[in-house]
Amino acid sequence: MSSETLSWAGALSEFEQYLAIEQGAAGPTRSAYLHDAGRYARYLEQTLQVAVPAAADAGHVRLFLTHLQQVCDLQERSLARNLSAIRAFHGFLLSDGLLEHNPCERIEMPKMSRSLPLTLSVPEVEALLAAAIEPGDAAAIRNRAMLELLYSAGLRVSELANLELQRVFFQEGFVRILGKGNKERLVPAGAPALRWLERYLREVRAAQPVRRGHESYVFLNQRGGRISRVSVFTIVQETARRAGISRPVSPHTFRHTFATHLIEGGADLRAVQDMLGHESITTTEIYLHVDREYLREVHALYHPRK
């Protein structure tokens, strides 16, 4: 089989045999590499329209890594693991004569920003939420409910997309979130978010046909299926543009803003850690730095000896 005719499915099958037989990789290692290489292959084939592995180049690999960072919200360690899997995948194809070049040869890890996370001010949040209700937009009520919940509960985009009806407790004012590592947590949802969510369920979702297998999910797309993370990302970007916010805004911006506003308001760091679902408090401590920056700005603005 020539490199020009080798399909992504065929390449992944060859890679699986290589890992199992030649490398003798343990089950979990083999599964992790196949998962990451498979996601990469699907993205190039379906999203970037790269028909075969031989057509992949360094630009495609960089676009995939950017997608993982910005849309899938993967952090440095997970990005490194994915890049390792992609390198192993292309390296195997090259060494086995199934590929003529390795597009990963000069790829380095994307630089993760070490600056403080982007957050929105309270007026910016209000403007963005208001912009979600655009006249003539049939999905406006759903979009407003999603954005309200992102800000009110500090959810990850995957947690929002996978939220199930049975995990929303209107009377108690909580949502039960299934987070990373299948760990559950209860997060308070503010009254405005719950009002918009109830309105969406009553006025929109109740009248919408639902695809089989998607009945349990809260947020649906126009075809009645569970809304995707990419769709949420696009909705946030378009709403921010309508609100006149020129800075890059993503679903994760709402999570950063949620935590920052809580810390600025005097919330206990451990409580914020629990609400965000951070395993280690050191991950949450970045918001202390955000708060210190806010305090410096206040001091510089108002202290007479600035």
Side-chain angles (χ1 to χ4, degrees):
M1 182 183 297
S2 70
S3 62
E4 288 77 13
T5 60
L6 178 66
S7 68
W8 286 105
L12 288 170
S13 178
E14 295 283 347
F15 185 50
E16 182 176 13
Q17 293 183 47
Y18 162 76
L19 291 173
I21 299 172
E22 296 188 36
Q23 292 295 303
T29 301
R30 187 166 69 248
S31 296
Y33 267 64
L34 287 172
H35 173 270
D36 294 341
R39 176 162 57 178
Y40 162 73
R42 286 191 300 275
Y43 181 80
L44 262 68
E45 184 174 24
Q46 298 173 11
T47 304
L48 301 183
Q49 305 298 307
V50 179
V52 292
D57 60 30
H60 297 136
V61 177
R62 291 191 181 95
L63 283 173
F64 175 67
L65 293 174
T66 300
H67 168 79
L68 292 181
Q69 183 178 347
Q70 295 184 354
V71 178
C72 300
D73 190 33
L74 295 194
Q75 300 304 306
E76 192 168 7
R77 183 177 299 178
S78 297
L79 284 171
R81 189 198 69 202
N82 273 266
L83 182 55
S84 177
I86 297 168
R87 281 175 172 160
F89 175 62
H90 280 293
F92 153 70
L93 295 176
L94 183 67
S95 65
D96 225 37
L98 300 173
L99 208 64
E100 295 180 359
H101 72 286
N102 188 342
C104 302
E105 190 173 8
R106 300 191 179 185
I107 297 289
E108 296 181 358
M109 276 298 300
K111 299 296 183 182
M112 300 292 288
S113 175
R114 296 298 179 183
S115 59
L116 297 176
L118 169 66
T119 59
L120 301 170
S121 66
V122 173
E124 284 177 323
V125 171
E126 296 293 347
L128 203 152
L129 293 174
I133 299 298
E134 187 180 33
D137 184 359
I141 295 175
R142 180 205 61 189
N143 295 350
R144 177 67 181 264
M146 289 196 305
L147 300 186
E148 289 276 3
L149 199 54
L150 282 173
Y151 175 59
S152 180
L155 305 184
R156 300 179 178 95
V157 63
S158 59
E159 295 169 348
L160 180 83
N162 292 320
L163 182 63
E164 296 179 308
L165 293 165
Q166 64 182 2
R167 294 179 174 274
V168 181
F169 302 95
F170 286 97
Q171 188 171 352
E172 294 82 1
F174 281 85
V175 287
R176 186 185 296 276
I177 301 303
L178 188 63
K180 288 185 176 180
N182 288 327
K183 292 183 178 179
E184 290 191 332
R185 68 185 191 276
L186 276 173
V187 185
L194 291 174
R195 282 197 301 270
W196 278 101
L197 183 55
E198 192 276 334
R199 182 180 173 186
Y200 159 67
L201 294 176
R202 183 183 71 250
E203 298 181 16
V204 180
R205 197 189 182 287
Q208 181 178 11
V210 183
R211 282 171 50 192
R212 176 179 288 184
H214 294 249
E215 296 87 353
S216 64
Y217 295 109
V218 173
F219 295 109
L220 304 178
N221 58 33
Q222 293 179 344
R223 298 179 299 279
R226 175 178 61 87
I227 199 163
S228 69
R229 293 177 295 182
V230 175
S231 293
V232 178
F233 189 92
T234 302
I235 289 165
V236 168
Q237 284 191 318
E238 291 178 349
T239 308
R241 177 183 52 77
R242 290 202 301 268
I245 300 173
S246 58
R247 294 178 294 158
V249 178
S250 72
H252 216 67
T253 306
F254 281 89
R255 185 168 161 87
H256 290 317
T257 303
F258 162 83
T260 302
H261 288 180
L262 283 175
I263 294 292
E264 288 178 358
D268 177 75
L269 190 65
R270 288 283 182 187
V272 176
Q273 177 192 0
D274 289 341
M275 286 186 276
L276 290 173
H278 286 162
E279 188 169 329
S280 171
I281 199 167
T282 57
T283 309
T284 318
E285 283 177 345
I286 186 172
Y287 298 108
L288 286 178
H289 298 296
V290 176
D291 190 38
R292 290 183 190 123
E293 287 297 311
Y294 168 75
L295 293 176
R296 286 193 192 99
E297 291 174 6
V298 171
H299 184 278
L301 186 61
Y302 296 109
H303 196 279
R305 309 255 326 152
K306 55 181 175 288

